[in-house]
Amino acid sequence: MISRLESLREAVAVSPQNIPLLLLFAQACLDELCFEEARTAFDRILQSDPAHAKAKLGIARVLYLSGNTSEAVVRTEALTDADPGFAEAWMLLSRLAAAEGDRNLATQYYQKAIRLNPHLSDAIEPDSRIGQVTSPALPPGNPGPDVDSETWEFLGESEQGNEGLPDILKPDISFASVGGMESIKEEIRMKIIYPLQNRALFQAYGKKLGGGVLLYGPPGCGKTLISKATAGEIKANFISIGIHQILDLYVGNSEKNLHRSFQLARENAPAILFFDEVDALAADRKDFRESAIRTMINQFLAEMDGNIGSNEGILILGATNAPWHLDAAFRRPGRFDRIIFVPPPDEAAREAIVEILARDKPLKRLDPKALAKRTRGFSGADLKSIFDVATERALSRAMKEGRVVPLTTEDLLQAFKDIKPSTRAWFESAKNYALYANQGGFYDDVLNFLGIR
Ligand SMILES: Nc1ncnc2c1ncn2[C@@H]1O[C@H](COP(=O)(O)OP(=O)(O)O)[C@@H](O)[C@H]1O
Ligand SMILES: [Mg+2]
């Protein structure tokens, strides 16, 4: 349906005054969450026909879907006032009431809508429809064509140049290389590792393996590390995708790269598909006026939903320092619906990290507890910097003396003075989002961490 939107867009460009066409196009934009484009198209209809009720309802829908509930209510009520028989408007009012938490009113409006138009009763819940870019899921038992004509196109082109195609990794690090993070390791075991290892059991209970887990938190606290270590823990395929492998200056190429990555995972299932710095790819579409980036995000959503190819046996792991840039559509069920906060290491975790960093280094009288005690607010990466600075100093001493000089706790404490803890700045931003934009309790863990709740 991406191509359907594209062809509608072209058709509208050719005949910009064709109202039925504009309406079709605007609805398609809405289906693919291209809100601004939808809004523009509905507005254009109203310029030619100011009384066009469907276009007015369309604008109210845009407002509802982009979170502007109060304006949506005002506009929709105006429609039911003007025409009390407007079933779809009552249905939207029902959803708006539900969005505002008024279940009684929502039920009342819903029944009104159904009385006026019984066909509306089998309408899908609005949320499950959002982001369904392509055809609905195939019925069970029908494997369906794994690749559609668009895919063949992608594959054909991928043969011409495979640069940037991600590799299937078998990382050699495991959880033992990650200090602390015990509860996160356990969560990853429960949500990723055991399901992968017990796929048959899952299937016996009629459960499908799939979905996404998002790790977020301040930089340098081990999100990338634990993701790679997850791959090392299991013997499944791990495909790591860097932004540079996806984003491409040429319009359309980013979608192809994204699609190839998903196809690679599908061909190698069971697999973990890891998107590091995922906010860059899954950025809030509101932040982008360029439709090229929005198109890519919609493609990402459609790939995640398994609308383009089956995602059975694929777990998607994402990591981000900037969860507030992530489009909310990515948090819907079946996408990144499991969200894990990766906090800065506590004292015990810092001690464990120091021990890991100390491996394979010439050390004397190392006291990990002493270092852990003094490094509150330091990330794992900050601790690593302390080791790097101290090592450099020891090395220059060693070169002067012409022999190996071991690192001491004093060296580390000396280096510690030069390194500032880096996680505080992150919490400054995160706190604002947690206090003022905590939709669905997304940032509850941050609030708990800060002791605000
Ligand atoms: N829990 C940890 N255990 C061991 N090393 C860590 C840990 N957290 C961070 N580090 C060190 O800091 C580096 C940066 O961590 P990284 O995983 O890239 O952070 P993030 O992805 O959260 O920004 C790692 O390569 C590792 O050397
Ligand atoms: Mg990282």
Side-chain angles (χ1 to χ4, degrees):
M1 265 232 302
I2 278 194
S3 58
R4 178 174 167 253
L5 180 65
E6 224 92 78
S7 55
L8 282 172
R9 192 181 281 127
E10 275 168 30
V12 164
V14 175
S15 42
Q17 300 304 328
N18 183 333
I19 292 199
L21 182 64
L22 269 172
L23 195 62
L24 209 60
F25 171 62
Q27 302 287 9
C29 288
L30 254 191
D31 286 342
E32 296 193 21
L33 300 171
C34 300
F35 298 139
E36 281 170 19
E37 238 183 329
R39 174 75 195 244
T40 310
F42 285 128
D43 279 336
R44 243 166 54 208
I45 297 171
L46 290 177
Q47 276 159 23
S48 319
D49 177 3
H52 202 293
K54 282 210 161 118
K56 286 184 181 169
L57 185 69
I59 289 173
R61 278 216 177 96
V62 170
L63 292 165
Y64 160 56
L65 289 173
S66 45
N68 198 340
T69 315
S70 45
E71 199 189 337
V73 169
V74 172
R75 284 174 181 259
T76 314
E77 279 175 352
L79 289 171
T80 50
D81 284 350
D83 174 13
F86 197 171
E88 278 113 331
W90 288 113
M91 191 54 97
L92 181 56
L93 276 182
S94 156
R95 277 172 191 158
L96 285 163
E100 292 191 319
D102 193 336
R103 298 191 61 180
N104 284 340
L105 199 60
T107 315
Q108 218 176 303
Y109 287 153
Y110 180 82
Q111 279 158 358
K112 203 164 208 159
I114 299 303
R115 267 201 304 278
L116 290 163
N117 182 356
H119 293 295
L120 289 180
S121 67
D122 50 29
I124 323 164
E125 272 303 295
D127 267 3
S128 66
R129 204 173 42 201
I130 292 170
Q132 283 216 351
V133 178
T134 50
S135 50
L138 292 156
N142 175 2
D146 230 347
V147 280
D148 53 25
S149 55
E150 265 177 54
T151 312
W152 285 119
E153 242 175 72
F154 287 136
L155 293 179
E157 282 172 51
S158 75
E159 265 155 32
Q160 287 157 24
N162 257 345
E163 308 151 78
L165 194 70
D167 294 321
I168 298 175
L169 300 177
K170 300 267 185 196
D172 51 4
I173 58 162
S174 66
F175 281 174
S177 319
V178 183
M181 299 179 94
E182 297 309 331
S183 66
I184 295 169
K185 287 176 188 169
E186 193 50 27
E187 218 167 333
I188 290 178
R189 280 191 199 104
M190 296 304 295
K191 288 173 180 168
I192 298 183
I193 297 178
Y194 298 153
L196 268 175
Q197 288 171 342
N198 300 292
R199 239 182 130 185
L201 255 181
F202 254 61
Q203 279 159 348
Y205 284 91
K207 276 186 79 107
K208 284 196 170 161
L209 178 63
V213 174
L214 178 71
L215 305 176
Y216 80 98
C221 292
K223 296 181 294 297
T224 303
L225 189 68
I226 192 117
S227 301
K228 298 232 161 96
T230 301
E233 283 288 308
I234 43 161
K235 302 294 167 243
N237 292 314
F238 187 85
I239 301 167
S240 176
I241 318 286
I243 321 156
H244 61 281
Q245 288 167 308
I246 300 291
L247 287 183
D248 191 300
L249 287 177
Y250 296 98
V251 173
N253 275 358
S254 300
E255 288 93 273
K256 275 178 215 161
N257 293 341
L258 200 54
H259 179 69
R260 279 187 214 159
S261 308
F262 273 89
Q263 277 309 108
L264 191 68
R266 287 172 190 134
E267 284 155 16
N268 291 284
I272 292 181
L273 192 54
F274 173 52
F275 291 95
D276 207 354
E277 319 275 331
V278 69
D279 54 286
L281 289 175
D284 196 327
R285 283 162 295 185
K286 290 198 298 295
D287 294 347
F288 291 102
R289 308 205 119 254
E290 301 103 293
S291 65
I293 290 178
R294 284 205 307 256
T295 307
M296 185 198 64
I297 294 167
N298 288 329
Q299 170 93 17
F300 201 159
L301 290 169
E303 296 280 1
M304 275 194 102
D305 287 346
N307 290 334
I308 293 172
S310 165
N311 288 347
E312 164 77 83
I314 300 178
L315 282 156
I316 297 162
L317 189 59
T320 176
N321 302 336
W324 36 83
H325 286 155
L326 193 78
D327 197 299
F330 281 92
R331 294 186 226 140
R332 297 231 169 76
R335 296 173 183 165
F336 288 121
D337 48 6
R338 288 159 288 177
I339 291 170
I340 301 177
F341 173 54
V342 181
D346 61 13
E347 195 172 318
R350 291 198 297 277
E351 190 182 327
I353 294 171
V354 168
E355 270 160 10
I356 287 168
L357 291 169
R359 281 180 199 163
D360 318 318
K361 290 208 177 69
L363 279 150
K364 211 171 76 187
R365 299 193 314 270
L366 176 73
D367 184 357
K369 276 201 167 60
L371 200 59
K373 216 176 208 71
R374 292 192 209 189
T375 44
R376 197 158 172 252
F378 280 63
S379 68
D382 295 336
L383 293 173
K384 187 170 183 299
S385 299
I386 294 178
F387 268 80
D388 290 345
V389 169
T391 305
E392 217 148 280
R393 286 194 193 140
L395 195 61
S396 68
R397 245 188 298 143
M399 284 190 291
K400 267 183 219 145
E401 298 181 21
R403 61 182 183 94
V404 174
V405 180
L407 270 175
T408 63
T409 301
E410 290 75 64
D411 288 324
L412 292 167
L413 287 175
Q414 192 63 36
F416 152 79
K417 289 180 187 154
D418 299 337
I419 314 265
K420 297 266 161 295
S422 68
T423 61
R424 264 169 221 156
W426 187 87
F427 279 102
E428 296 289 314
S429 314
K431 188 177 164 185
N432 285 326
Y433 287 100
L435 286 175
Y436 306 114
N438 190 21
Q439 274 114 5
F442 184 76
Y443 295 110
D444 282 357
D445 289 339
V446 172
L447 291 174
N448 284 331
F449 183 84
L450 292 171
I452 294 173
R453 273 165 52 107

